Amino acid sequence: MHASQVRSAGLGLALASAFAFGGSGVAAKPLIEAGLDPLHVVWLRVAGAALVMLPVAWRHRELLRRKPALLAGFGLLAVAGVQAFYFAALSRIPVGVALLIEYLAPALVLGWVRFVQRRPVTRAAALGVVLAVTGLACVVEVWSGLRFDVLGLVLALGAACCQVGYFVLSDQGTDGDRPADPLGVIAYGLLIGAAVLTAVARPWGMDWSVLGGVADLGGTAAPAWLLLGWIVLIATVLAYVTGVVSVRRLSPQVAGVVACLEAVIATVLAWVLLQEHLSAPQILGGAVVLLGAFIAQSSTPKAPPPGPVAGGEPAPADEERLSAAQPRT
């Protein structure tokens, strides 16, 4: 296969991943409104995906010995933390707004790098942060006294912070051995996340009868089990796998930029299927948030640091390690 064909295939997979991830909130919100607790929806999603990925976890069982910290970080932050905060936010604010706030993560990573690690970042990266924060102000319409539920905004920011934690974890140097296979990391991250969420969500108290009924999908009655199947198989398993493969065929930077379309896709799907209409300033603010995230994520560092800098071009040896660094909703 020629390089152009590989790139085209990678771009197609990245778009498929963004579409799959972007549809998670649209399918989850009707289940929450039908009576399921947000944490129970998260548990069903993660536990179902972990069950599907169990054969992959068995194939890569040596990761438990080689990369326990990476697996724990993925499970606690990229899976349990991001999903729990994001789905809890969905119960209080629109899907598109929750996802746009979560996309402040690339800008927050730069703040960590600059002020905690005291490593240089570019002016373009700083501009990305300013744009993202300005866009967020438009999304929440600060001039109206925070139209959206404040707790919902805090929960969405919690999801962004969990993404930051995993980005920081994945930004650490390798320990000298071969990189962990991203599919194995995803499989064990889902298993660890499911175990953590079982203790937190306590699914034995869930109203299981909701799954046998219907949910309101923008005025249309949809089988609850069908929505759950979409969340598990499409918005989790397919989304993660296509995302990882796309990074290998493209690069973490290119795939990450394409992933920014997830927020746009989620907003459009929520508009069409859930009739969550946003005002013109909110739409403009969302575009500015995405632009800021794009600039912050794709900028290059001022000087070559000893390790990869968030938002910079990774060394070739780091690309496979960073390909797992796509914690998504």
Side-chain angles (χ1 to χ4, degrees):
M1 185 180 291
H2 298 294
S4 60
Q5 293 176 318
V6 171
R7 187 175 181 84
S8 297
L11 181 59
L13 289 169
L15 290 171
S17 180
F19 179 84
F21 275 121
S24 64
V26 173
K29 189 157 188 173
L31 294 177
I32 295 172
E33 293 177 343
L36 287 180
D37 186 272
L39 276 177
H40 290 159
V41 178
V42 175
W43 180 83
L44 287 168
R45 176 185 187 179
V46 175
L51 185 63
V52 173
M53 295 292 286
L54 194 57
V56 178
W58 175 256
R59 179 181 178 184
H60 297 285
R61 55 191 180 276
E62 81 283 352
L63 287 177
L64 288 171
R65 174 181 53 83
R66 293 200 302 114
K67 300 285 186 179
L70 179 60
L71 300 183
F74 197 100
L76 293 174
L77 297 174
V79 176
V82 172
Q83 309 299 339
F85 277 113
Y86 174 66
F87 277 39
L90 288 184
S91 66
R92 310 187 72 95
I93 60 178
V95 172
V97 175
L99 198 51
L100 286 168
I101 294 173
E102 189 178 329
Y103 264 87
L104 285 174
L108 295 176
V109 168
L110 291 173
W112 174 275
V113 170
R114 179 66 184 88
F115 298 108
V116 178
Q117 296 183 338
R118 299 185 181 279
R119 293 159 65 183
V121 295
T122 64
R123 290 182 180 178
L127 174 62
V129 173
V130 173
L131 287 174
V133 173
T134 302
L136 177 58
C138 294
V139 169
V140 302
E141 294 187 335
V142 292
W143 55 86
S144 300
L146 283 181
R147 226 180 203 186
F148 292 113
D149 187 283
V150 175
L151 179 56
L153 297 177
V154 172
L155 291 169
L157 283 172
C161 290
C162 284
Q163 287 211 30
V164 171
Y166 183 66
F167 278 129
V168 171
L169 174 66
S170 66
D171 197 38
Q172 305 304 308
T174 59
D175 55 9
D177 59 0
R178 66 185 185 279
D181 188 291
L183 290 178
V185 173
I186 290 172
Y188 276 104
L190 289 169
L191 286 170
I192 293 172
V196 172
L197 289 170
T198 298
V200 175
R202 294 179 290 181
W204 47 86
M206 179 170 54
D207 185 3
W208 293 89
S209 63
V210 173
L211 298 179
V214 296
D216 180 19
L217 185 65
T220 301
W225 63 266
L226 184 61
L227 294 175
L228 179 61
W230 174 277
I231 293 171
V232 171
L233 298 177
I234 305 299
T236 307
V237 175
L238 179 65
Y240 271 117
V241 172
T242 53
V244 168
V245 176
S246 71
V247 172
R248 288 189 167 188
R249 290 176 178 264
L250 298 169
S251 71
Q253 287 71 36
V254 175
V257 169
V258 176
C260 287
L261 291 175
E262 177 189 336
V264 177
I265 292 169
T267 303
V268 172
L269 289 177
W271 194 324
V272 174
L273 298 178
L274 301 182
Q275 297 167 6
E276 292 185 348
H277 299 285
L278 302 179
S279 66
Q282 289 170 324
I283 295 173
L284 177 61
V288 175
V289 170
L290 293 180
L291 177 61
F294 168 81
I295 294 175
Q297 185 168 302
S298 61
S299 60
T300 55
K302 288 182 178 179
V309 174
E313 189 75 20
D318 293 318
E319 287 199 3
E320 186 173 1
R321 176 173 56 82
L322 287 175
S323 67
Q326 301 290 331
R328 308 275 284 285
T329 53

